[in-house]
Amino acid sequence: MTSIADVLHGFPILSVVIFLPLVGALVVAFAPARWARLLGLATALLAWVASLVLAAGFQASAPGFQFVEQASWIPVFGIQYKLGVDGLSLALVVLTTTLTWISILASFRPIQARIKEYMVTFLILEVGMTGVFLALDTFLFYVFWEVVLVPMYLIIGIWGGSNRIYATIKFVLYTLVGSLLMLVAILATAFAYQAAHGGSWTGAFDFEVLRAYASTAGFGDTLQLLGFAALFLAFAIKVPMFPFHTWLPDAHVEAPTAGSVILAGVLLKLGGYGLIRFAIALYPDAAVTYAPLIIVLSLIAIIYGALVALVQPDLKKLVAYSSVSHMGFVTLGAFVFQAQALSGAILQMINHGLITGALFLLVGVIYERTHDRSIARMGGLAALTPTYAAIFGFFIFASAGLPGLSGFVGEFLTLVGTFAVNPWAAAVAAFVMILGAAYLLWMFQRIAFGEPSAFLLGIRDHLSDISAVEVLTLAPLGAMVVAFGFFPGLLLDLIRQPVADTLASVANAHAIAIDPAIVAIGIGIVVAVVVIRFLSLRPAAASTSVVPAEGAG
Amino acid sequence: MADQLDTYLTLSGLLFAIGTFGFLARRNAISMLMSIELMLNAVNLAIVAFGAFIPALKDRGAVIALLVLAVAAAEATVGLSIVIAIYRNRKTPLVDEYDAMRR
Amino acid sequence: MTWSDVVTMAPFAAGVALAMAVLVVDIVRPGARNPVLAVALGGLAVITVLTVVTGQAAATAFGGAYVVDGLTTFLDLVFIGIVAFTIVFAPDYLEPRGLPLAEFTIVLLFAMTGAMLISAAGDLLVLFIALELMVLPGYLLAGYHKSDGYSTEGAIKYFLLGSFSSAIFLFGLAFVWGLTGTTSISGIAQTLTGIASGSAALSPGLALGLAFMTTGVAFKIAAVPFHYWTPDAYQGSPTPVTGYLSVGPKVGAFALILRLFVGALYPLRSDWVQVVIVLALLTMSLGNLVALTQTNVKRMLAYSSIAHTGYMLVGLAAYGAGRQEGLEGLLYYGAAYSAMNLGAFAVIAALQRRAGVTSNLETFAGLGRREPWLGVLMTLFLLSLTGIPPTAGFFAKAYVILAAVQASQAGNAALGVLAVVAVLNAAAAAFYYLRVVVYMYMREPQGEQSPLTHGRLMWGGLAAATALTILFGIAPGTLLDIVIQAARAIGSPGAA
Amino acid sequence: MRAWLYLLAAAVAIGIVTTPAIVVFVFGGQSFDDSLLAAFATLLLVSALAVVTMRDIIRCGLAMIVCFIALAGIYVQLGAPLVAAAQAIVYVGAISVLVLFAIMLTQTKAGPSQLVFQTQAGWAGLAAVVLAVIIGVAVSGTDWPAAAARIHVATDDLARLLFSDYVLPFEVVSVLLLAAVIGGVFLAKRDAPAGDGETR
Amino acid sequence: MSYDLLVPLIVALPLAGFVITAAIGKRLGRQAHWIPVGAVVISWLVAMVVVAAALTNAEPFGEAGFGVTLWQWIPAHGAAGSPDFIISAGFFVDHLSAVLLIVVTTIGMLVHVYSIGYMGHDPGYWRFFAYLNLFMVSMLILVLADSWLVLFVAWELVGLCSYLLIGFWYRKNSAALASKKAFIVNRVGDVGFALGIMAIFANTHTLNIRDSLGVLSSQTLVAFPVPVAIVALLVFAGAVGKSAQFPLHVWLPDAMEGPTPVSALIHAATMVNAGVYMVARANPLFAAAPEVMTFVAAIGIFTAILAASIAMTQTDIKRVLAYSTLSQLGYMFASLGVGAFSAAIFHLMTHGFFKGLLFLGSGSVIHAVHEEQDMRKMGGLAKKIPHTYWTMLIGAIAISGIPPLAGFFSKDEILGEAFKTGFYWVWAIGIVVAVMTAFYMFRLIGLTFWGESRVDKAVEPKIHESPRVMTVPLWLLAIPSLVLGAILSWPGPPLGPLFGQSGQTGLLAGWLEPVFKGAQEALGRSEAEFQLLGIDGGLLLISIAVAVAGLLVAWRLFGVDLGPIRGKAEPERVRALTARVPGLYRASVNKWWFDDLNHVLFVVIGGWVANGSAWFDRNIVDGIVNGIGSVTRRAGTDLARIQTGRVQNYALGIALGLLVMAGSYLVIVAR
């Protein structure tokens, strides 16, 4: 009997997964506009099927990358078109393809203007996202990384809310600052490799070669420190880590529902993926050196994100800040360099994609009917739209890390792993179990419980319960949330090898000594900037936040 | 004095500086053009002086000067035509009043 | 002048002949458009062939005053391309305004011959005259819309400052002649090698000459603080001319730099590289910062072109610091920038087919809806200018940054700073480029306007520019080989 | 009365020009060459200053002619009579006339009464002085590889050079002039009014 | 049928009931109860089979118990030297789980049946049963879990069910708030528990309950990464939350917003006992940390007296019962703390039944007076709802510790053990609590059933006894409340041999002996002979005396109407008494201001912190980002100013540049 892997042997399945949406985008672009929706969905579904075929042919137990495709691209610099998949990227690719078709389906009703352009943009976005996860050449990785940027920029900017331009430009500029520095780091790394190999560019952009080099000979200390800092900044902005997170709430609030879903579901994962795959593997010594700082930032993000989420008046902002908090687990788990923690971090990425994606879909459902997202104006949805409220509640608890659902496993593994390395960090992070429950349940209580609000009663005629199509978009996510809650082994087996690979690259790493003076200067600059900002505040800029009528406890 | 290169070069420098001053200070387009001619002539003086004093350049200075002269003439042609063209639009030769575009 | 001299300089001669031919065509059939276009484009095709043929082997003519090597061929092809694009894009702008195409083409072709001569100059005098041959038509073209106050204002500013800088450059040139005793580039290089190796001191006079020449050249490439003419001249000029000015004279001036600084002054690079670093820093930063505040797209692109000069200077600095890749990056950047920037200006020119349309940002409001294809193409060009892959602009930027990073790892920390500043600038630049996209796609148009109709010529040109912009980004390989050949013609830093 | 004033002015001018020559002759080693140079140089610089400072632009133009003539004199002294001749023909004959034409064409009634100088004239002066100083320092600080004696160049040598070593620049200059003329004619000629000021 | 199948079946049946009801319950309307109730009844039957087998040490249970592994849940392999983290989802039944199974399935079943009547008119009928079934699933998993993590899952799931059921009437704002509060306060404890589990893993590299406890109690010389005392404290934190001990007790009274069957099942009989069960389960761990046990005892007994003091003045019938539950749970923890593990479980069982009974009875009362919960608007109901009255009276006597009802035996055992193990202070406070317990229970009975009717005149004529479906479960609970204590503490034949016991200790103690043996030995406790005429008898007498004393005081103040014994309520005296200790009275009425304290701590200060963070985020973090942007733009605007539009200015700029350039070249030369 021939297995799927045999059938796929020699077939460029990865390229198909990546570029199928591009072909679809071209078809959509030249087809009549009224077909755009269905063609877009069909393409996304095809890509999804392709990714599932890939998953079926994947052998989790085999080490290294599979289905590797390799072709010379820019031979002068040894830049290759090199793709490959391992468990980590496979999981994220399938997440991407799934969320893409769900998002497209969820856009059918909300997006009425320029539907053709929308579909084209969305499909190109998918090209970039899958490309990032599958690229094994650092240059190619960067190219795909940037390809993601533009469609998202357009999606927020064209189909977004009232303040969309501010949000989208902020998103792009913020991301671009990081990613361009990453480009410098990638080039510097390639050159360092080239210089160490007698001026031969062969392999200088090949991730596998670089990783092997990094874990044996290793790059120089200065390059590691600076290169890691650059990569870290790029990825931390994407994740987003405190204090680089402020683009996220703005982008989420303004983005259309599907944009938010992809943003939270996939784009943030790009950062986590980059950290785990590239930053740690290429600069292990620097990773170890910076780890304490990153752990502290992660902890701040976890707690701070939850605290800020607590008082957000806007549903999407709340979910956005919850993302900051949740993604803190990813960075925390990645940088304690412990198997369970890293596995947990990866799981957390997937779960966050599913759960937060679903939450944004749900916010979209209500926004579609009320054209409002303010928590204060909702109330009593459970009475008016019971099915909707029930589904919302399900994902609220999934987000709060209720055991039995997928979110729990990731968080707990992260915490267990962290505890083994640093109990205090785990203790601080675990505190979010309370805060998370607090902001989520408080929000849910305010929107779903009690008597229906006057606002909702006023538009009762439009306030239909969740529709079949909307349920269809949420059902796969819910199913996966349950499935991964009960059988996280499905993912854990998949990522076992990548986790081991990543940890192997830091196994022999040593911390680089940093001149305390530099550290002091760095801290001084940060403090100075904060102080200057503080002093430059006008007293008029007083807080406009909602004071909670009642809160936790 | 007259058989020293320095003299001529200094003279050339002074002429160049005067031209520069005119270019920076005058308002009239044609004055500025004339200032530029002064500067080009300063250069030519230097070139001729070099031709007269530097053995390796001995015949060439004059040739170069002649060519520079021609270039200056071409420049003057173009410049004056532009001046006339803008004068038709703006009815003033004062360059500092041509500030429709700024920032 | 021998026959072989003539053969060697055939592309240049053909350029001059072509200009004459167009003149004749215009005299025979005054005001006719198609014959002019046919002759001009056909002639350019012939010149292209000539360039490629003569470029097969390195050669010199006129006793070394005219040099043909890989660099010459590469730059000539770039110039021909720039001029061809400009001619293709011009009619849609010129015709509604009653401006003749023939004179435009003739003057432009003269400018092209000047630029081609710069790239082939082996003698400082030739270099200077070629420079004048390139820029004088530029002044004329800037004022080509002579009934328009802005056009003539731009022209006179460009002319006055340009002449000023020419005088400065020439003054410096004179001193260099005087002190090296030769006008031949190789001769000067020999003399300076002696100075650099310590057998003779660098005299103040020579330094003064270098300073004046640097200033003159910096002016021509619009490096800060010698950039003042750029925004006004670009904004005022007729749009196709702006497109040409932003790339033609710029690449030409860089050709001058390559011949002069790289060819003649390479031995003194440790001295001038520091100047280049400072210039690059200032140029990038000021260009981008001021561009942020512009509301007129042409003026914005003018400042952006200043910024791009800065990026190209990064490549030069890296070369000066000892990396051949800097030179390659610079050349690649020049070609890529020409394609994408011409494309962007072509779109503006296409919009201005309707007389009375300004290039203010408001013009672009809702363009994505009104003119979907123009909108998409403009977006592509702007993304390329921003440096987003997979476009030409990205690879070009990556190239110069790579060179700078290499130089910094080789010990010149300032280049590292330069690389970081360059990318930060690129990020800031995204703001103003994307603002145009914002207007095109995220703003509603002011009032309905009937769609514009453009000829096949315009679309063909845009398609070509688009193809190049994407091709240079996705498959840089072909151009890369040519660029590396061209850079090698000047010699690698290691060899010098 | 006015004629006397002109004569007086001429006398003063001659005085200004001759005084340095006499001073140089008396105190500088009784060299005719030197004093001649001093005279030309003084004439050159004074007329140049006049060009950049005088209020009436027509007089500026005239002063420029004087300046060029003085320069031609120096060229002769430097043994480059051909350049001097060209200077006289091209500059004095052609360019100056061109300039005067342009002045006539662009003269407004209010012209002379307006401010001559920019508001930044002071800074301009300062910059010019500094520039002169820098050039002076550089010149004086440099050891020029000076020849033992001045070389006089024959015109036929020059012509030979022009058509051998410098044939390419020579040809190119002709192209340049052609381009300038074609473009200049286009710009300067008066068209039927077409288009409007809308290009921005 | 093999036990491999039967044990999971106990859980699977209600799970199926939940899934089916959730899916199609809405369409079943009034018939929605059949599936869930049926599932629970069958589940009870299966459970009884399993319990019988387990308690008789039948194969394959034996004395050590029997485990079923379902599937490998979390296979997180280690790498680079870290241990494998492999968690199997599985069940384990030993004597302790078996005893808990009895409580959970029996009361659960009865509450299900009762709900058919109680919830009969609710529009969310099907939803209620779905939730109840889900709760049964969770609680059974909790009892049966063989891994700490599975236990934790169930721990959280019961919390979820509690949330859903407290907030069942979600349109009521108070219900919504209470459900949220319950969940969040529980989460506080859960954080500790979760950290405790992590610590256990860090110490033992396993999360199997038996294996890990074996390692933790082995007293190895190898130092653990986390001290055992810390582990025990962390785990105890979970128990404090779930069992509503001080200071996390605040959620339980509010939880009375839920329907009464829920209060009976979850907030009296089962879920709140989870903490007790868990600490008992972890007895080897606690035994290895005696100082923590003292702490447990202190928390327990303090909660007991605190809650009892509040219960004395509350007027809401369910709140009185809620505080009573707190108080009784405090007893259990005190018992655990002093090392009397089996006494704690004993009290857990008896309390489960009589408190369940009391709650269901109160539900019946509330039902009768048309959803009125304020005891001041009741009175004289004894005649009108006799079944309810008599069953509740049994419950009240049982809880008050009057022999020979159930509560007496278990409470007395706790107090006796406390005294005998030297925890005199625990005993002393326990005695005071016993007085108070009897007092507030008979205050409740007096206010509700005896004396004059204070019921709303409109409702008065409509008062009726509840339907059979509600009263039958009441009686079924009353029976164990009457006799369970005696049965379970019966030391010898004929019951002992029936269940395979032969020891001198009580039946329950005998059952639990293998579970607690190790801990008892570690603590140096030996099972002393029960001395009816010695110390035990003395303590027993004191217990009875104080219970009676409390009872009498209550009668005196709030009246009594027990056939021959009659007394009128004396509200003036009550008022006079409270006026004598106004501070205490106010403290009690205001629940010692814990809710206000929490309000200040979490709403005011927490809100301040959260708002402060949001302010910081917007103005400082985002402010810096936007500030960089505006500084950049400002720089652009300022720099654009040099572009004056005047050529001469430009030229001057160029000239200056030239000067700088020339100057710097000359400087370079000069060097």
Side-chain angles (χ1 to χ4, degrees), chain E residues 86-109:
Chain E
I86 297 176
I87 308 296
S88 291
F91 296 142
F92 178 73
V93 185
D94 66 355
H95 290 183
L96 183 57
S97 339
V99 168
L100 264 291
L101 269 183
I102 300 172
V103 181
V104 171
T105 55
T106 311
I107 300 179
M109 177 183 68

Side-chain angles (χ1 to χ4, degrees), chain A residues 67-405:
Chain A
F67 302 109
V68 173
E69 291 170 31
Q70 206 163 359
S72 187
W73 179 19
I74 306 173
V76 179
F77 296 112
I79 296 172
Q80 294 172 308
Y81 174 77
K82 186 176 179 188
L83 305 174
V85 66
D86 69 352
L88 173 59
S89 41
L90 178 67
L92 290 166
V93 164
V94 175
L95 175 75
T96 306
T97 54
T98 312
L99 284 176
T100 303
W101 76 254
I102 287 175
S103 302
I104 286 182
L105 184 59
S107 308
F108 274 23
R109 216 167 71 163
I111 303 295
Q112 293 296 339
R114 294 193 246 182
I115 185 72
K116 191 160 142 176
E117 289 92 328
Y118 182 83
M119 289 300 162
V120 171
T121 317
F122 226 95
L123 291 172
I124 292 174
L125 179 64
E126 187 178 7
V127 173
M129 296 186 300
T130 45
V132 166
F133 291 133
L134 293 176
L136 279 189
D137 181 282
T138 50
F139 195 82
L140 184 64
F141 169 79
Y142 180 80
V143 169
F144 280 124
W145 179 274
E146 293 287 47
V147 165
V148 171
L149 194 59
V150 179
M152 201 64 215
Y153 165 74
L154 294 174
I155 287 172
I156 299 174
I158 298 178
W159 293 279
S162 53
N163 198 17
R164 59 188 190 273
I165 290 167
Y166 167 76
T168 195
I169 291 208
K170 191 169 179 177
F171 160 72
V172 166
L173 290 188
Y174 221 139
T175 315
L176 211 54
V177 168
S179 64
L180 284 166
L181 288 174
M182 171 168 84
L183 175 64
V184 175
I186 286 175
L187 297 176
T189 309
F191 173 65
Y193 180 87
Q194 181 240 17
H197 289 77
S200 160
W201 284 103
T202 312
F205 288 93
D206 187 323
F207 171 68
E208 287 184 286
V209 173
L210 289 175
R211 179 168 71 179
Y213 180 73
S215 60
T216 51
F219 293 103
D221 284 354
T222 314
L223 174 64
Q224 286 212 32
L225 288 177
L226 294 177
F228 184 90
L231 286 195
F232 173 71
L233 188 67
F235 297 139
I237 287 170
K238 244 336 190 249
V239 165
M241 275 184 85
F242 175 89
F244 310 113
H245 64 277
T246 52
W247 63 269
L248 187 73
D250 289 324
H252 268 318
V253 167
E254 300 304 332
T257 299
S260 287
V261 171
I262 291 295
L263 196 58
V266 184
L267 258 63
L268 308 192
K269 309 306 166 306
L270 301 182
Y273 174 80
L275 284 174
I276 294 170
R277 163 98 348 130
F278 291 97
I280 294 177
L282 293 184
Y283 313 111
D285 295 339
V288 171
T289 313
Y290 284 117
L293 172 70
I294 297 171
I295 289 172
V296 168
L297 286 179
S298 305
L299 292 177
I300 293 176
I302 290 171
I303 299 301
Y304 176 89
L307 276 175
V308 179
L310 204 52
V311 291
Q312 291 307 313
D314 181 301
L315 276 175
K316 270 189 159 182
K317 268 203 167 156
L318 189 143
V319 182
Y321 277 106
S322 86
S323 291
V324 174
S325 179
H326 281 135
M327 292 303 286
F329 276 94
V330 175
T331 43
L332 175 67
F335 280 89
V336 294
F337 307 122
Q338 203 272 358
Q340 277 88 32
L342 185 53
S343 309
I346 296 170
L347 248 57
Q348 176 80 350
M349 287 207 284
I350 312 266
N351 298 331
H352 176 263
L354 299 173
I355 296 168
T356 310
L359 286 178
F360 277 119
L361 283 173
L362 285 160
V363 175
V365 168
I366 197 67
Y367 183 73
E368 177 68 9
R369 287 154 178 72
T370 62
H371 300 285
D372 203 323
R373 284 186 311 260
S374 72
I375 296 172
R377 305 185 72 178
M378 305 288 163
L381 279 173
L384 295 171
T385 55
T387 314
Y388 171 76
I391 297 174
F392 207 151
F394 172 81
F395 284 106
I396 288 276
F397 275 99
S399 183
L402 188 80
L405 303 179

Side-chain angles (χ1 to χ4, degrees), chain D residues 86-170:
Chain D
Q87 174 84 2
I89 296 164
V90 175
Y91 268 113
V92 181
I95 297 181
S96 300
V97 172
L98 211 57
V99 167
L100 288 176
F101 261 108
I103 292 169
M104 307 301 181
L105 276 174
T106 62
Q107 201 64 323
T108 49
K109 292 204 175 74
S113 65
Q114 282 172 335
L115 279 174
V116 172
F117 289 127
Q118 266 275 328
T119 47
Q120 60 170 16
W123 292 105
L126 190 64
V129 169
V130 174
L131 184 65
V133 169
I134 285 180
I135 295 172
V137 166
V139 166
S140 57
T142 306
D143 285 337
W144 301 97
R150 276 183 291 165
I151 310 134
H152 293 265
V153 182
T155 314
D156 53 339
D157 284 353
L158 215 152
R160 194 175 36 73
L161 262 180
L162 205 53
F163 289 102
S164 60
D165 285 11
Y166 289 97
V167 64
L168 181 63
F170 181 74

Side-chain angles (χ1 to χ4, degrees), chain A residues 166 170 174 242-243 245-246 250 304 307-308 310-312 321 338-340 382-383 386 397 400-404 408-409 412-413 415-416 419-420 426-427 430-431 433-434 437-438 441-442 444-445 448-452 485-489 492-493 496 500 503 529-530 533-534 537 541-553, chain E residues 26 71-80 82-85 149 152-154 156-157 160 163-164 167 170-173 176-177 179-181 183-185 187-191 194-202 207 226 234 250 595 598-599 602-603 606-607 609-611 613-627:
Chain A
Y166 167 76
K170 191 169 179 177
Y174 221 139
F242 175 89
H245 64 277
T246 52
D250 289 324
Y304 176 89
L307 276 175
V308 179
L310 204 52
V311 291
Q312 291 307 313
Y321 277 106
Q338 203 272 358
Q340 277 88 32
F397 275 99
L402 188 80
F408 168 72
V409 185
F412 198 85
L413 278 177
L415 289 175
V416 162
F419 194 97
F431 192 63
M433 283 173 65
I434 305 166
L441 294 186
W442 187 35
F444 192 56
Q445 173 232 316
F449 296 151
E451 290 298 327
F486 281 92
F487 305 101
L492 284 168
D493 290 343
R496 187 174 170 186
L503 290 177
V529 169
V530 170
R533 179 64 209 160
F534 240 106
L537 283 175
S543 108
T544 54
S545 66
V546 284
V547 178
E550 25 67 36
Chain E
K26 196 170 188 177
W71 79 90
Q72 204 177 61
W73 179 31
I74 305 182
H77 293 270
S82 59
D84 285 351
F85 181 88
L149 206 59
F152 186 74
V153 171
E156 292 271 300
L157 282 180
L160 168 73
Y163 171 83
L164 293 172
Y170 51 76
R171 291 182 86 137
K172 252 183 13 190
N173 242 330
L177 289 177
S179 64
K180 183 192 69 188
K181 182 173 177 180
F183 195 87
I184 293 171
V185 174
R187 270 279 167 118
V188 176
D190 291 357
V191 168
L195 288 171
I197 292 174
M198 291 167 209
I200 289 172
F201 182 77
L207 281 185
V226 186
L234 288 170
V250 289
D595 283 337
N598 282 326
H599 181 82
F602 297 106
V603 179
V609 170
N611 274 324
S613 301
W615 179 90
F616 182 80
D617 198 61
R618 202 170 38 254
N619 289 294
I620 305 301
V621 181
D622 202 26
I624 288 171
V625 174
N626 288 335

Side-chain angles (χ1 to χ4, degrees), chain B residues 52-93:
Chain B
F53 286 95
I54 310 285
L57 277 175
K58 71 177 182 191
D59 306 335
R60 290 151 199 263
V63 181
I64 295 169
L66 280 179
L67 291 170
V68 169
L69 215 70
V71 170
E75 237 174 44
T77 315
V78 170
L80 290 170
S81 66
I82 294 176
V83 169
I84 289 167
I86 193 167
Y87 184 78
R88 286 213 192 95
N89 287 318
R90 294 291 175 84
K91 310 292 179 215
T92 172

Side-chain angles (χ1 to χ4, degrees), chain B residues 2-23:
Chain B
D3 54 0
Q4 280 191 332
L5 184 54
D6 281 16
T7 315
Y8 298 95
L9 291 181
T10 310
L11 198 56
S12 156
L14 285 173
L15 189 56
F16 193 85
I18 291 171
T20 306
F21 170 75
F23 188 78

